[in-house]
Amino acid sequence: MKKVFLVLFLFGTILVAAQESTPTLENIASFEGKTITICEKVTSIYESKGGNALLNFGKPFPDNAFSVVIFKLDREAFTYDPLTLDSKTICITGTVILYKGKPEIIVKKESEIVVK
């Protein structure tokens, strides 16, 4: 009987660990400082006065789960305008940082975004 409980306990621990290693909108903040890839639908976009592009995920800003930031100088090197990604599902690879308590990924190169 003890062996059955031990096996179930170990299996449950492995499942929890596997769930934590997959970034989602709900747990992305827990990946702060780590480089991840996450695929989600862009729910809103914004262009700052300085020309920076912000792609929001989960819900529209200010209730978004996280954002992707593309600074103007990096954005100019793109072959397309990142603001055209509104409502598209994309995969982003980058390092998660917290800005004002919210997770974001700063994209420097077009190759860090893959449109699905």
Side-chain angles (χ1 to χ4, degrees):
M1 188 67 144
K2 288 182 183 179
K3 288 181 183 180
V4 171
F5 285 121
L6 180 60
V7 168
L8 290 175
F9 174 76
L10 291 174
F11 183 70
T13 303
I14 291 169
L15 283 177
V16 169
Q19 289 174 347
E20 284 301 315
S21 65
T22 304
T24 64
L25 290 177
E26 292 77 23
N27 72 4
I28 190 167
S30 69
F31 289 88
E32 181 183 12
K34 295 183 176 142
T35 300
I36 63 162
T37 297
I38 184 167
C39 299
E40 292 292 339
K41 182 178 181 179
V42 178
T43 53
S44 69
I45 56 170
Y46 176 75
E47 181 177 17
S48 73
K49 290 179 184 176
N52 302 323
L54 288 95
L55 312 176
N56 298 304
F57 299 83
K59 294 182 180 178
F61 182 83
D63 299 318
N64 55 309
F66 86 101
S67 296
V68 166
V69 179
I70 308 167
F71 293 114
K72 181 181 178 180
L73 289 176
D74 300 320
R75 183 178 166 195
E76 290 172 354
F78 277 58
T79 59
Y80 63 90
D81 183 356
L83 296 177
T84 63
L85 297 174
D86 193 23
S87 300
K88 295 195 172 153
T89 299
I90 63 173
C91 296
I92 308 99
T93 300
T95 302
V96 177
I97 61 169
L98 293 183
Y99 178 73
K100 295 186 178 181
K102 284 207 170 190
E104 66 180 35
I105 295 174
I106 297 173
V107 168
K108 297 278 191 188
K109 297 180 267 179
E110 185 175 331
S111 62
E112 296 171 327
I113 296 177
V114 176
V115 181
K116 291 294 214 171

